[in-house]
Amino acid sequence: MNPFLEALAHPSRPLVMGVINATPDSFSDGGQFIRPEAALEQARRLIAQGADMLDIGGESTRPGSDPVETAEELSRVLPILKAIRQESGIALSIDTRKPEVARAAVAAGADCWNDVSALTFAPDSLATAVELNVPVVLMHAQGDPKTMQQDPQYRDVTGEVLNFLVGRMGQAIQAGLKLSNIIVDPGIGFGKTLAHNLTLLRDLPRFVALGRPVLVGASRKRFIAALDQGAGVEERLGGSLATALFAAKQGAKIVRVHDVAETRQALRVQSALLDA
């Protein structure tokens, strides 16, 4: 069974996805893990802290970021994927918009394709997802990373994001992707204001009602600073934990985080309190 689907099969709690950015410019940890040796050490730390899965990315999609050439992205992620896979059977996800990168990453040991463009970036993205036959995260984003935060507008943010994801699910299934391979992500921080992000988080049960696992990636994001007088990236742990706990309570199956140990502890305590 695919390790990613196996992890999702009988979750007694929300799953914790640890983030490894093999990039020089990611908003949170750009440059820290671009060397394969550093990324492997971080993977070992996150696994030891209890990560259920790891998400490896070689192209930053932070607001204002520029695209990365395919060859460069491959050179960043493939050595890391291969090194982790040689040591561990943990579920691995490749965070990319490019089908060429997804194909090579799966061949190198990735078990899931996490696509912030919901398979819209390239003409052959859907066909590649069907060919690879691995779980795919379909995420909503309004606009391109370079400009998405300049002036995002919605009349009904939850309704529009839901309609987009339902449409992409339908197109993917029509193309031949198995329903069991689909995970959805409302795209916190991707073309959304503070108000949009808060509304989507409050409305997570509507995404859960789609019947597919919901992934929430809100760790250390800018909306936390908007609520806490401009807190720097390294000062957003409290807000990240609060969001992960809220998302879990709302039905999210996967929380994508930078701080694995703290998130696991917070989820464990919340679960004990709810069961008491």
Side-chain angles (χ1 to χ4, degrees), residues 8-166:
L8 281 167
H10 303 289
S12 58
R13 53 168 175 74
L15 301 174
V16 177
M17 173 187 277
V19 180
I20 300 179
N21 292 312
T23 62
D25 57 345
S26 291
F27 80 95
S28 175
D29 51 12
Q32 292 185 40
F33 309 118
I34 196 164
R35 291 187 304 107
E37 298 83 2
L40 179 58
E41 283 300 317
Q42 177 67 355
R44 289 170 178 158
R45 280 190 291 270
L46 296 180
I47 292 169
Q49 290 172 6
D52 298 291
M53 49 193 63
L54 298 177
D55 192 39
I56 317 297
E59 178 185 53
S60 175
T61 49
R62 64 173 174 78
S65 60
D66 293 310
V68 172
E69 293 295 327
T70 299
E72 175 64 21
E73 189 175 347
L74 286 168
S75 73
R76 294 175 180 179
V77 300
L78 291 185
I80 297 168
L81 284 165
K82 291 174 182 177
I84 296 172
R85 184 50 77 224
Q86 285 179 354
E87 290 193 6
S88 173
I90 191 170
L92 294 175
S93 170
I94 179 65
D95 180 359
T96 185
R97 298 180 293 174
K98 301 182 182 72
E100 304 97 319
V101 175
R103 188 180 292 108
V106 170
D111 309 296
C112 175
W113 180 1
N114 181 12
D115 185 0
V116 301
S117 78
L119 303 176
T120 65
F121 184 74
D124 59 337
S125 290
L126 268 175
T128 301
V130 174
E131 168 201 330
L132 294 176
N133 191 29
V134 297
V136 177
V137 180
L138 301 177
M139 196 198 82
H140 174 273
Q142 186 186 90
D144 185 85
K146 184 73 175 176
T147 59
M148 64 186 180
Q149 287 302 110
Q150 290 184 2
D151 187 27
Q153 298 283 336
Y154 301 86
R155 291 188 178 184
D156 170 12
V157 63
T158 300
E160 291 174 46
V161 173
L162 272 170
N163 286 341
F164 171 83
L165 290 175
V166 168

Side-chain angles (χ1 to χ4, degrees), residues 162 184 203-214 247 250-253:
L162 272 170
V184 296
D203 287 345
L204 279 180
R206 294 178 62 183
F207 294 89
V208 174
L210 295 178
R212 301 308 309 143
V214 175
Q250 296 290 86
K253 293 296 184 189

